[in-house]
Amino acid sequence: MENTRKTLKTYSYDELSPSAHLIGSNEDLLTEILVRLPATSILRFKCLSKDWQSLLTHRRFTLRNDKLSISPGLFVRNKYVPFDNEYRTPPPFRSLDFYPDVNGIRILQSCNGLLLCCSRQGHTRDRMYYVFNPTTKQFAIIPLVYSHKPDRFIGLAYHQTSCPHYKVICITFSYSCPSSDLVLAEIQIYSSDTRKWKNLNHYFSESSYNTPFGNGVYWNEAVCWHPSDRNYLSYFDLKLEKLKELPIPSPEKPMRRYGYRSTYLYFGESRGHLHWVATAKHEYHIYLLVYEMSWDRLGWFVKYKVKLHDLPGVCPQMTRNNQFEVIDIVRGEEEEEEEEEEEEDAFMVLNINKKIIRYNILDKSCKHMTTISQIRIGGREVHRYIQSLTSF
C-alpha cells in the first residue's frame, strides 16, 4: 500500500516531460488530440481544471469536435441500436426520463445531435415539446404554440455552423374562406436565441393543401420533405422564410439506362448530403438507386446503385411485395482530400425480414445489427444518434 501511494504523485507543470510540456502548452495541438476522443471522455475532462473546462467548452473546440463526431447507432422506437455490435457503444440513456412528463416521452426527430421529443400520449394541443441533447443530457422545454388546427408538421432545424441556434418549425394549413381557392399556411418558428415564437402567413393554391408533410429533414439551411408529384411545397427556406419546391429525380438519363422508377423508399440527410432512394428495374434485376441532391437544389444525381439480390435474406417475392425497408444512409467522414475513404465508410441500414442489417456499399459486406418483432418499422420510429457537445 505504501509503495502504491508513492506512485500516486502529483506532478507540477515544470516536472512534465518535454513532449508533455510541448503538448500542454500548444492549444492547437491539444485540440487536435482531444477532438478525437469519445464524447464521454471529453465530458469527464471538463472537470479536471478551469483551463480544461474553458478549452473544451469553447465554441471553436465544440465546432471542431462536432465536425468529426461519429454516429454510433440509431434509436428504434426509443430503443438504442448500435451500428456495430463488435465495437458497440453503451446507450446514451436508458429511458427518456430527463423530465417528469406524466404522459411519457417519445422521439419525434433527430437533427445533428439534438432530439426533438414530445409527450407520448395525450391530445395533440396539450403535448409538451422538448429539445434534448442525449450526449450532454441537457434539455430545454419548448413553450406551447397555440393553434386551433392540428399540426401538419412540427420539426427541428439545427446545425453547428449554419443554424447554431436551433429552431422549431410548426406548420398548419387551412382554407382562407369557403369561396376562395387559396390556402393559408400558418408557419410558426421558435428560436433558442430569442426564446419566442414568430408567426408567418403564406397563401398558396388549393392543390398545395394536399401536400404530404411527413418527416422533415434539415439540410442546407432549409427544412426539406421528400418531393413527389403531389408535393408542391418540398422545403422551407429558413433564410427567406418561404415554402419552395424541390425537383423530383428525373426519368431522363441516367434513369433511362435502368428503365423503371418506383415510389421513393427513403429520404434523409447524412454529413451534409441529402438522399432520396427509389427502386429501379433493369432486365431481371432490381436495384436500389441512392440519389443525392446538388447543393444548389436544382437537381439529383445517382450516387450509389445497389443490386437487391446481392443482399443476404432477400428473395424475389420480398422485392416484388416491397417487404423490406431502407432505414438509413450513413456517409463517411468529411475529408475533401480523401474522397475514396468516404466511399468506403458509406453504408445503408435496411430492415429485411425483421432483421436490421448494415450493408457496406463499396465492399458489399453485411453485419447483423438486431432483430425486431414487426416486419415494418416506419420512418417516424427511427432516429439517428450523433454524439455532440453542443450546449444551449
Side-chain angles (χ1 to χ4, degrees), residues 65-342:
N65 178 265
D66 285 350
K67 185 177 181 180
L68 295 176
S69 64
I70 62 171
S71 176
L74 297 167
F75 298 113
V76 180
R77 300 193 183 103
N78 289 4
K79 175 186 176 183
Y80 178 65
V81 179
F83 286 134
D84 194 337
N85 283 320
E86 295 181 9
Y87 304 97
R88 58 188 302 137
T89 55
F93 54 79
R94 294 184 178 274
S95 62
L96 289 171
D97 56 357
F98 56 84
Y99 186 79
D101 193 318
V102 295
N103 292 313
I105 299 175
R106 67 185 179 96
I107 302 172
L108 286 180
Q109 181 191 355
S110 171
C111 186
N112 294 310
L114 301 185
L115 301 178
L116 178 64
C117 306
C118 76
S119 304
R120 178 182 294 276
Q121 300 175 346
H123 196 280
T124 304
R125 300 172 187 170
D126 300 326
R127 288 176 183 168
M128 297 286 292
Y129 289 89
Y130 315 90
V131 172
F132 175 51
N133 185 336
T135 304
T136 64
K137 306 301 186 291
Q138 185 182 15
F139 73 94
I141 302 174
I142 306 301
L144 294 175
V145 53
Y146 174 76
S147 177
H148 60 280
K149 298 173 291 297
D151 300 334
R152 291 288 294 276
F153 169 78
I154 185 164
L156 182 65
Y158 168 73
H159 190 270
Q160 297 85 348
T161 55
S162 62
C163 189
H165 301 286
Y166 68 79
K167 297 180 179 180
V168 178
I169 296 91
C170 179
I171 301 177
T172 59
F173 273 65
S174 66
Y175 284 101
S176 57
C177 63
S179 60
S180 174
D181 60 351
L182 294 179
V183 174
L184 172 65
E186 297 182 28
I187 304 172
Q188 302 178 77
I189 305 172
Y190 176 83
S191 172
S192 63
D193 185 24
T194 63
R195 300 187 184 276
K196 295 179 180 179
W197 287 94
K198 179 180 181 179
N199 298 325
L200 303 171
N201 290 331
H202 292 282
Y203 289 90
F204 298 94
S205 63
E206 186 176 351
S207 57
S208 301
Y209 184 77
N210 295 319
T211 297
F213 288 105
N215 294 334
V217 175
Y218 177 79
W219 173 78
N220 192 10
E221 302 185 52
V223 177
C224 307
W225 299 272
H226 77 270
S228 68
D229 295 334
R230 293 178 55 208
N231 196 345
Y232 296 94
L233 305 171
S234 301
Y235 76 95
F236 178 71
D237 191 312
L238 287 169
K239 274 192 171 183
L240 300 178
E241 296 185 337
K242 290 184 178 180
L243 284 164
K244 294 187 174 183
E245 299 179 24
L246 277 180
I248 62 175
S250 171
E252 302 297 326
K253 63 178 186 179
M255 278 303 302
R256 184 187 305 163
R257 188 172 47 181
Y258 306 128
Y260 173 77
R261 177 175 59 85
S262 73
T263 314
Y264 92 104
L265 299 176
Y266 169 85
F267 183 75
E269 180 272 346
S270 178
R271 291 192 178 272
H273 306 279
L274 187 65
H275 300 122
W276 190 93
V277 182
T279 56
K281 186 176 181 180
H282 178 57
E283 295 179 348
Y284 299 103
H285 302 291
I286 297 178
Y287 296 87
L288 289 179
L289 297 183
V290 181
Y291 290 88
E292 183 176 332
M293 169 61 75
S294 61
W295 194 251
D296 56 13
R297 304 190 186 101
L298 295 180
W300 300 83
F301 59 92
V302 176
K303 180 65 178 179
Y304 305 114
K305 183 180 70 169
V306 176
K307 186 188 295 185
L308 277 178
H309 293 164
D310 288 343
L311 300 177
V314 174
C315 61
Q317 183 179 1
M318 289 180 62
T319 57
R320 285 195 299 267
N321 298 332
N322 288 333
Q323 293 180 345
F324 64 94
E325 291 177 285
V326 178
I327 295 176
D328 204 356
I329 307 290
V330 181
R331 299 289 285 268
E333 291 187 16
E334 295 177 309
E335 297 290 345
E336 296 180 0
E337 68 277 6
E338 300 179 4
E339 293 183 358
E340 292 184 0
E341 181 179 344
E342 179 182 350

Side-chain angles (χ1 to χ4, degrees), residues 19-81:
S19 58
H21 189 284
L22 175 63
I23 295 174
S25 61
N26 189 323
E27 187 172 302
D28 292 335
L29 184 58
L30 188 60
T31 297
E32 287 299 317
I33 295 173
L34 294 176
V35 293
R36 287 166 170 78
L37 294 178
T40 51
S41 299
I42 295 174
L43 293 175
R44 292 193 191 101
F45 289 159
K46 287 183 180 181
C47 303
L48 291 179
S49 68
K50 291 183 178 180
D51 291 338
W52 280 65
Q53 184 182 30
S54 176
L55 171 66
L56 298 178
T57 56
H58 195 278
R59 179 166 171 77
R60 177 171 172 267
F61 178 85
T62 57
L63 285 175
R64 184 86 173 87
N65 178 265
D66 285 350
K67 185 177 181 180
L68 295 176
S69 64
I70 62 171
S71 176
L74 297 167
F75 298 113
V76 180
R77 300 193 183 103
N78 289 4
K79 175 186 176 183
Y80 178 65
V81 179

